[in-house]
Amino acid sequence: MTARERLALPLPGGRVLDALVSGPTAGDLLIFHHGSPGAAVPMPFLEDAAAARGLRLATASRPGFGGSSRQPGRRVADAAPDIAALADHLGAERFFTLGWSGGGPHALACAALLPGRVRAVATMGGVAPYDAEGLDWIAGMGEDNQVEYPTAARDPGELAAWMAPHAEALAAIQAGDLVAGLRSLVSAVDEPYCAEEFGEVLAESFRTAFAHGPGGWFDDDLAFVSPWGFDLGAITVPVTLWQGADDLMVPYAHGQWLAGHIPGARAELQPEEGHLSIWLGQIGAILDGLLAAEGRASG
């Protein structure tokens, strides 16, 4: 089993960043951005795959999730200075970064705003900007997402009321409850993964996310439907976009849109994968591609 270290990293302004670190101390750093809602929890399949490639893995809970102090009004772009501080603490001038689902935009923020430090980026099922021209943002999403995000864009107060019972349920969820709890968002290809190791990890991530209430989830949603604070078209770091066609959380069209709007991005659009299955089915290829991408010129 990979040894782990839990960090409570002080940040400017008195905030604290909760992070989990594993793998070889001397290895190249890989920073992972979790989904939404979510938090930094042990992920053996990712830890083992990273360690097998000589990578040191760090996962930070975004503000308001897990043990990370809340940052009301944060933008997606605000992830970059927090991640830079984490890399500094770990003694890494440069690092790779990987984002899943709601973590995808935050990984792209690091690519755009820390180009001298980020070596390459990969996203898995990452969402596109809410105002993406020509994209019907909620088309193909499960029912819960079709309610959640338009509500966030229209009325934050209504969003908070909608979230309250959902956050309460997720704060106590077990792996066996995932399919029922996420029914509108779990595709047929994803369903088996809810009963396996990934299901245990996902349930723990949900429970940990709400250790101090639903503030992180609320802030994430408002950040997703507001301007992100950086220009996707200005990204020069190599980016690879992994997206499954059988994804009810983040539809295939999001990956296609991002591939057309990030210079030099490589699209790995997987027709038989879903939002969860792309993890265990493709994680080795995703990490191998991330390491190989560093030498790929963008533009």
Side-chain angles (χ1 to χ4, degrees), residues 53-238:
R53 291 160 176 81
L55 293 169
R56 189 182 193 192
L57 175 67
T59 305
S61 300
R62 282 192 297 282
F65 289 125
S68 289
S69 307
R70 193 177 173 191
Q71 188 183 17
R74 60 179 166 86
R75 303 175 302 164
V76 173
D78 293 325
D82 285 1
I83 295 304
L86 177 59
D88 288 344
H89 178 78
L90 296 174
E93 176 59 30
R94 305 192 71 218
F95 56 91
F96 297 95
T97 193
L98 171 67
W100 176 57
S101 192
H106 297 88
L108 295 176
C110 293
L113 301 173
L114 304 171
R117 303 196 65 174
V118 173
R119 300 168 67 168
V121 176
T123 68
M124 301 176 294
V127 294
Y130 195 72
D131 62 356
E133 185 176 357
L135 176 67
D136 185 343
W137 205 86
I138 63 170
M141 287 186 176
E143 181 181 353
D144 282 351
N145 281 6
Q146 292 201 23
V147 173
E148 179 181 348
Y149 294 104
T151 301
R154 181 182 65 251
D155 187 337
E158 186 179 341
L159 174 69
W162 177 89
M163 274 187 172
H166 290 79
E168 183 177 359
L170 289 172
I173 201 165
Q174 301 296 319
D177 306 324
L178 285 172
V179 173
L182 303 175
R183 182 64 275 173
S184 76
L185 302 172
V186 177
S187 66
V189 72
D190 282 333
E191 186 169 335
Y193 293 89
C194 291
E196 298 180 1
E197 178 186 33
F198 186 87
E200 298 290 347
V201 169
L202 186 58
E204 183 180 0
S205 181
F206 285 149
R207 294 193 301 268
T208 304
F210 298 110
H212 300 286
W217 191 18
F218 179 83
D219 297 337
D220 252 8
D221 275 14
L222 295 189
F224 292 141
V225 302
S226 301
W228 286 1
F230 60 93
D231 179 9
L232 288 169
I235 291 177
T236 58
V237 172

